[in-house]
Amino acid sequence: MVLPLPKDLLGPPPSWAARLSEPGSPVCSPDWLALREPADHAARSADLAAALDAHLAGHRGEVVVRDLGCGTGSMARWLAPRLSLPQRWSTHDRDADLAQRAAATAPVPATAVVGDLRDLTDLAGTDVVVCSALLDLLDTAAVERLAGLCADAGAAALLTLSVTGEVALDPPDPVDADVAAAFDAHQRREGRLGPDAPAAVADAFARRGFGITRRASPWRLGPGDAALVEEWLRGRLDAACAQDPSAAAAAGPYLERRLTALAAGTLHATVGHADLLALPAAGGDR
């Protein structure tokens, strides 16, 4: 997610700086996660959840699910009711408070696990690995390692809401393309996969014999999502200007135009994401 603007270069943060979130950061505030949860729930592919449920149909006993980068537990609240069998979840996050919140609010028995993805060395006994809005923060080595751990354990994976870089704002603005280019470059900083994650993850799992099914899972936002749209816009600009400080001069007027349209009820945003289901048995489509 976004790094704060360098204060020694640009002075105090401008009025458009993100308030609740830093897009691209592994550190997420509960307020930001709560704000985006309804859009996340609407976007995730119910089709892939149903396919995962069908895959698990012959399982005996509890299904063991590990939620990586769980945040406050949105994935468990969305997925657990869609799986027919009894479940036990582990909610993994580097933030202890988030991991514990996720476990406490899960609709099924859950245990909090505090640690970075790099701390995960074994998925033995795990039936399903899930994550949401995480893969774009990883580099190629981390994705390969995750796919390898899932293969070793024979675990299925449902990996949701990875950004694709496809963003459409209506009405369009001449500055949209510049913001998008800087934002995508920021997401790819220091070797992160950013919008390249969906393809890289599909390839990593497919090379290990998994059947892969992908679905688009875009946010479709309008005037009824005004608070989320505003926060997303602010975070997007913060990231773009962290990547390219020369964009700061245009950022304020651009945001003002966008928020004026939002207040008038004329601004709509489609933010591209992709969901991926990887099943250890043969099947799925590329």
Coordinates of all heavy atoms in Angstrom, one line a residue, residues 80-137:
A80 N -17.4 -18.7 5.3 CA -17.8 -19.8 6.2 C -19.2 -20.2 6.0 O -19.6 -21.4 5.9 CB -17.5 -19.4 7.6
P81 N -20.2 -19.2 5.9 CA -21.6 -19.6 5.7 C -21.8 -20.3 4.3 O -22.9 -20.9 4.1 CB -22.3 -18.3 5.8 CG -21.4 -17.4 6.5 CD -20.1 -17.8 6.1
R82 N -20.9 -20.1 3.4 CA -21.1 -20.7 2.1 C -20.5 -22.1 2.0 O -20.6 -22.8 0.9 CB -20.4 -19.8 1.0 CG -21.1 -18.5 0.8 CD -20.4 -17.6 -0.1 NE -21.2 -16.5 -0.7 CZ -21.6 -15.4 0.0 NH1 -21.1 -15.2 1.2 NH2 -22.4 -14.5 -0.5
L83 N -19.8 -22.6 3.0 CA -19.3 -24.0 3.0 C -20.2 -24.9 3.9 O -20.6 -24.5 5.0 CB -17.9 -24.0 3.6 CG -16.8 -23.2 2.8 CD1 -15.4 -23.3 3.4 CD2 -16.8 -23.6 1.3
S84 N -20.5 -26.0 3.3 CA -21.5 -26.9 4.0 C -21.0 -27.6 5.2 O -21.8 -27.9 6.1 CB -22.1 -27.9 2.9 OG -22.6 -27.2 1.8
L85 N -19.8 -28.0 5.2 CA -19.2 -28.8 6.2 C -18.8 -28.0 7.5 O -18.5 -26.8 7.4 CB -18.0 -29.6 5.7 CG -18.3 -30.6 4.6 CD1 -17.0 -31.2 4.1 CD2 -19.3 -31.7 5.1
P86 N -18.7 -28.7 8.6 CA -18.2 -28.0 9.8 C -16.8 -27.5 9.6 O -16.0 -28.2 8.8 CB -18.2 -29.1 10.9 CG -19.2 -30.1 10.4 CD -19.2 -30.1 8.9
Q87 N -16.4 -26.4 10.1 CA -15.1 -25.8 9.8 C -14.4 -25.4 11.1 O -15.1 -25.0 12.1 CB -15.3 -24.6 8.9 CG -16.0 -24.8 7.6 CD -16.7 -23.5 7.2 OE1 -16.1 -22.5 7.0 NE2 -18.0 -23.6 6.9
R88 N -13.1 -25.3 11.0 CA -12.3 -24.6 12.0 C -11.2 -23.8 11.3 O -10.5 -24.3 10.4 CB -11.6 -25.7 12.9 CG -10.7 -25.0 14.0 CD -10.2 -26.0 15.0 NE -11.3 -26.6 15.8 CZ -11.8 -26.0 16.8 NH1 -11.4 -24.8 17.2 NH2 -12.8 -26.5 17.5
W89 N -11.2 -22.5 11.7 CA -10.4 -21.5 11.0 C -9.2 -21.1 11.8 O -9.3 -21.1 13.1 CB -11.1 -20.3 10.6 CG -12.1 -20.4 9.5 CD1 -13.1 -21.3 9.4 CD2 -12.1 -19.6 8.3 NE1 -13.8 -21.1 8.2 CE2 -13.2 -20.1 7.5 CE3 -11.4 -18.5 7.8 CZ2 -13.5 -19.5 6.3 CZ3 -11.7 -18.0 6.6 CH2 -12.7 -18.5 5.8
S90 N -8.1 -20.8 11.2 CA -6.9 -20.1 11.8 C -6.8 -18.8 11.1 O -6.8 -18.7 9.9 CB -5.6 -20.9 11.6 OG -5.6 -22.1 12.3
T91 N -6.9 -17.7 11.9 CA -6.8 -16.4 11.3 C -5.4 -15.8 11.5 O -5.0 -15.5 12.7 CB -7.9 -15.5 12.0 OG1 -7.7 -15.5 13.4 CG2 -9.3 -15.9 11.7
H92 N -4.7 -15.7 10.4 CA -3.3 -15.3 10.5 C -3.1 -13.8 10.1 O -3.6 -13.4 9.1 CB -2.4 -16.1 9.5 CG -2.3 -17.6 9.8 ND1 -1.1 -18.2 10.0 CD2 -3.3 -18.5 9.9 CE1 -1.3 -19.5 10.2 NE2 -2.6 -19.7 10.1
D93 N -2.4 -13.1 10.9 CA -2.1 -11.7 10.6 C -0.9 -11.3 11.4 O -0.6 -11.8 12.5 CB -3.3 -10.7 10.9 CG -3.2 -9.5 10.0 OD1 -2.4 -8.6 10.3 OD2 -4.0 -9.4 9.0
R94 N -0.1 -10.4 10.8 CA 1.1 -9.9 11.5 C 0.7 -8.9 12.6 O 1.5 -8.6 13.5 CB 2.0 -9.2 10.5 CG 1.4 -8.0 9.8 CD 2.3 -7.5 8.6 NE 3.6 -7.0 9.1 CZ 4.5 -6.7 8.2 NH1 4.3 -6.7 6.9 NH2 5.7 -6.3 8.7
D95 N -0.5 -8.4 12.5 CA -1.1 -7.5 13.6 C -1.9 -8.4 14.5 O -2.9 -8.9 14.2 CB -2.0 -6.5 12.9 CG -2.5 -5.4 13.9 OD1 -3.0 -5.8 14.9 OD2 -2.4 -4.2 13.6
A96 N -1.4 -8.5 15.8 CA -2.1 -9.3 16.8 C -3.5 -8.9 17.0 O -4.4 -9.8 17.2 CB -1.3 -9.3 18.1
D97 N -3.8 -7.6 17.1 CA -5.1 -7.2 17.3 C -6.1 -7.6 16.2 O -7.2 -8.1 16.5 CB -5.2 -5.6 17.5 CG -6.6 -5.1 17.7 OD1 -7.2 -5.4 18.7 OD2 -7.1 -4.4 16.8
L98 N -5.6 -7.5 14.9 CA -6.5 -7.9 13.8 C -6.7 -9.4 13.9 O -7.8 -9.9 13.7 CB -5.8 -7.5 12.5 CG -5.7 -6.0 12.2 CD1 -5.1 -5.8 10.8 CD2 -7.1 -5.3 12.2
A99 N -5.7 -10.2 14.1 CA -5.8 -11.6 14.1 C -6.8 -12.1 15.2 O -7.7 -12.9 15.0 CB -4.5 -12.3 14.4
Q100 N -6.7 -11.4 16.4 CA -7.6 -11.7 17.5 C -9.1 -11.3 17.2 O -10.0 -12.0 17.5 CB -7.1 -11.1 18.7 CG -5.8 -11.8 19.2 CD -5.0 -11.0 20.2 OE1 -5.4 -9.9 20.6 NE2 -3.8 -11.5 20.5
R101 N -9.2 -10.1 16.6 CA -10.6 -9.7 16.2 C -11.2 -10.6 15.2 O -12.4 -11.0 15.3 CB -10.5 -8.3 15.5 CG -10.2 -7.1 16.5 CD -10.3 -5.8 15.7 NE -9.9 -4.7 16.5 CZ -10.4 -3.5 16.4 NH1 -11.4 -3.3 15.5 NH2 -10.0 -2.5 17.1
A102 N -10.4 -11.1 14.2 CA -10.9 -12.0 13.2 C -11.4 -13.3 13.8 O -12.5 -13.8 13.5 CB -9.9 -12.3 12.2
A103 N -10.6 -13.8 14.8 CA -11.0 -15.1 15.4 C -12.2 -14.9 16.3 O -13.1 -15.7 16.3 CB -9.8 -15.6 16.3
A104 N -12.3 -13.7 17.0 CA -13.4 -13.5 17.9 C -14.8 -13.3 17.1 O -15.8 -13.6 17.6 CB -13.2 -12.3 18.7
T105 N -14.7 -12.8 15.9 CA -15.9 -12.5 15.1 C -16.2 -13.5 14.1 O -17.3 -13.4 13.4 CB -15.8 -11.1 14.4 OG1 -14.7 -11.1 13.5 CG2 -15.6 -10.0 15.5
A106 N -15.4 -14.6 13.9 CA -15.7 -15.6 12.9 C -17.0 -16.3 13.3 O -17.3 -16.6 14.5 CB -14.5 -16.6 12.9
P107 N -17.8 -16.7 12.3 CA -19.0 -17.4 12.5 C -18.8 -18.9 12.8 O -19.8 -19.6 13.0 CB -19.8 -17.2 11.3 CG -18.8 -17.0 10.2 CD -17.6 -16.3 10.9
V108 N -17.6 -19.3 12.9 CA -17.2 -20.7 13.2 C -16.1 -20.7 14.2 O -15.4 -19.7 14.4 CB -16.8 -21.5 11.9 CG1 -18.0 -21.7 10.9 CG2 -15.7 -20.8 11.2
P109 N -15.7 -21.8 14.8 CA -14.6 -21.8 15.7 C -13.3 -21.4 15.0 O -13.0 -21.8 13.9 CB -14.5 -23.3 16.1 CG -15.9 -23.8 16.0 CD -16.4 -23.1 14.8
A110 N -12.5 -20.5 15.7 CA -11.3 -19.9 15.0 C -10.3 -19.6 16.1 O -10.6 -19.3 17.2 CB -11.7 -18.6 14.3
T111 N -9.0 -19.7 15.6 CA -7.9 -19.5 16.5 C -7.0 -18.4 15.8 O -6.7 -18.5 14.6 CB -7.1 -20.8 16.7 OG1 -7.9 -21.8 17.3 CG2 -5.9 -20.5 17.6
A112 N -6.6 -17.4 16.6 CA -5.7 -16.4 16.1 C -4.3 -16.9 16.0 O -3.8 -17.5 17.0 CB -5.8 -15.1 16.9
V113 N -3.6 -16.5 14.9 CA -2.2 -16.8 14.8 C -1.5 -15.5 14.4 O -1.9 -15.0 13.3 CB -1.9 -17.9 13.7 CG1 -0.5 -18.2 13.6 CG2 -2.7 -19.2 14.1
V114 N -0.5 -15.1 15.1 CA 0.2 -13.9 14.9 C 1.5 -14.2 14.2 O 2.3 -15.0 14.7 CB 0.4 -13.1 16.1 CG1 1.1 -11.8 15.8 CG2 -0.9 -12.8 16.9
G115 N 1.7 -13.6 13.0 CA 3.0 -13.8 12.3 C 2.9 -13.3 10.9 O 1.8 -13.2 10.3
D116 N 4.1 -13.1 10.3 CA 4.2 -12.8 8.9 C 4.1 -14.0 8.0 O 4.3 -15.2 8.5 CB 5.6 -12.1 8.7 CG 5.7 -11.5 7.3 OD1 6.1 -12.2 6.4 OD2 5.4 -10.3 7.2
L117 N 3.7 -13.8 6.8 CA 3.6 -15.0 5.9 C 5.0 -15.7 5.8 O 5.0 -17.0 5.6 CB 3.2 -14.5 4.5 CG 3.1 -15.6 3.4 CD1 2.0 -16.6 3.8 CD2 2.8 -14.9 2.0
R118 N 6.1 -15.0 6.0 CA 7.4 -15.7 6.0 C 7.6 -16.6 7.1 O 8.5 -17.5 7.1 CB 8.5 -14.6 6.0 CG 8.6 -13.8 4.7 CD 9.5 -12.6 4.8 NE 8.9 -11.6 5.8 CZ 9.5 -10.4 6.0 NH1 10.6 -10.1 5.4 NH2 8.9 -9.6 6.9
D119 N 6.8 -16.5 8.2 CA 6.9 -17.4 9.3 C 6.2 -18.7 9.1 O 6.3 -19.6 9.9 CB 6.2 -16.7 10.6 CG 6.9 -15.4 10.9 OD1 8.1 -15.2 10.7 OD2 6.2 -14.5 11.4
L120 N 5.4 -18.8 8.0 CA 4.6 -20.0 7.8 C 5.5 -21.0 7.0 O 6.0 -20.7 5.9 CB 3.4 -19.6 6.9 CG 2.3 -20.7 6.7 CD1 1.7 -21.0 8.1 CD2 1.3 -20.2 5.8
T121 N 5.8 -22.1 7.7 CA 6.7 -23.1 7.1 C 6.0 -24.4 6.8 O 6.6 -25.2 6.1 CB 7.9 -23.4 8.1 OG1 7.4 -23.8 9.3 CG2 8.7 -22.1 8.3
D122 N 4.8 -24.6 7.2 CA 4.2 -25.9 7.0 C 2.7 -25.7 7.1 O 2.1 -25.1 8.0 CB 4.6 -26.8 8.2 CG 4.1 -28.3 7.9 OD1 3.5 -28.5 6.9 OD2 4.5 -29.1 8.8
L123 N 2.0 -26.3 6.1 CA 0.5 -26.3 6.1 C -0.1 -27.6 6.3 O -1.2 -27.9 5.9 CB 0.0 -25.7 4.7 CG 0.3 -24.2 4.5 CD1 -0.1 -23.9 3.0 CD2 -0.5 -23.4 5.5
A124 N 0.7 -28.5 6.9 CA 0.2 -29.9 7.1 C -1.1 -29.8 7.9 O -1.3 -29.1 8.9 CB 1.2 -30.7 7.9
G125 N -2.1 -30.6 7.5 CA -3.4 -30.7 8.2 C -4.4 -29.6 7.7 O -5.5 -29.6 8.1
T126 N -3.9 -28.7 6.8 CA -4.8 -27.7 6.3 C -5.5 -28.2 5.0 O -4.9 -28.7 4.1 CB -4.0 -26.4 5.9 OG1 -3.3 -26.0 7.1 CG2 -4.8 -25.3 5.4
D127 N -6.8 -27.9 5.0 CA -7.6 -28.3 3.8 C -7.8 -27.2 2.8 O -7.8 -27.4 1.6 CB -9.0 -28.8 4.3 CG -8.9 -30.0 5.2 OD1 -8.3 -31.0 4.8 OD2 -9.4 -29.8 6.3
V128 N -7.9 -25.9 3.3 CA -8.1 -24.8 2.4 C -7.3 -23.6 3.0 O -7.3 -23.3 4.2 CB -9.6 -24.4 2.4 CG1 -9.8 -23.2 1.5 CG2 -10.5 -25.5 2.0
V129 N -6.6 -22.9 2.0 CA -5.9 -21.7 2.3 C -6.7 -20.6 1.6 O -7.0 -20.7 0.5 CB -4.5 -21.7 1.8 CG1 -3.8 -20.3 1.9 CG2 -3.6 -22.7 2.6
V130 N -7.0 -19.5 2.4 CA -7.7 -18.4 1.8 C -6.9 -17.1 2.1 O -6.2 -17.0 3.0 CB -9.1 -18.3 2.3 CG1 -9.9 -19.5 2.0 CG2 -9.2 -18.0 3.8
C131 N -7.2 -16.1 1.2 CA -6.7 -14.7 1.5 C -7.5 -13.8 0.7 O -8.2 -14.2 -0.2 CB -5.2 -14.6 1.2 SG -4.8 -14.6 -0.5
S132 N -7.4 -12.5 1.1 CA -8.2 -11.5 0.4 C -7.3 -10.2 0.4 O -6.8 -9.8 1.4 CB -9.5 -11.2 1.2 OG -10.3 -10.3 0.5
A133 N -7.2 -9.6 -0.8 CA -6.5 -8.4 -1.0 C -5.0 -8.5 -0.5 O -4.6 -7.5 0.2 CB -7.2 -7.2 -0.4
L134 N -4.4 -9.6 -0.7 CA -3.1 -9.8 -0.2 C -2.0 -10.1 -1.3 O -0.9 -9.6 -1.2 CB -3.1 -11.1 0.7 CG -1.7 -11.5 1.3 CD1 -1.1 -10.5 2.2 CD2 -1.9 -12.9 2.0
L135 N -2.4 -10.8 -2.3 CA -1.4 -11.3 -3.3 C -0.6 -10.2 -4.0 O 0.6 -10.3 -4.2 CB -2.0 -12.2 -4.3 CG -2.7 -13.4 -3.8 CD1 -3.3 -14.2 -4.9 CD2 -1.8 -14.3 -3.0
D136 N -1.2 -9.0 -4.2 CA -0.5 -8.0 -4.9 C 0.6 -7.3 -4.1 O 1.5 -6.6 -4.6 CB -1.5 -6.9 -5.3 CG -2.6 -6.6 -4.3 OD1 -3.5 -7.3 -4.2 OD2 -2.4 -5.6 -3.6
L137 N 0.6 -7.6 -2.7 CA 1.7 -7.1 -1.9 C 2.9 -8.1 -1.8 O 3.9 -7.7 -1.3 CB 1.1 -7.0 -0.4 CG -0.1 -6.1 -0.2 CD1 -0.5 -6.1 1.2 CD2 0.2 -4.7 -0.7

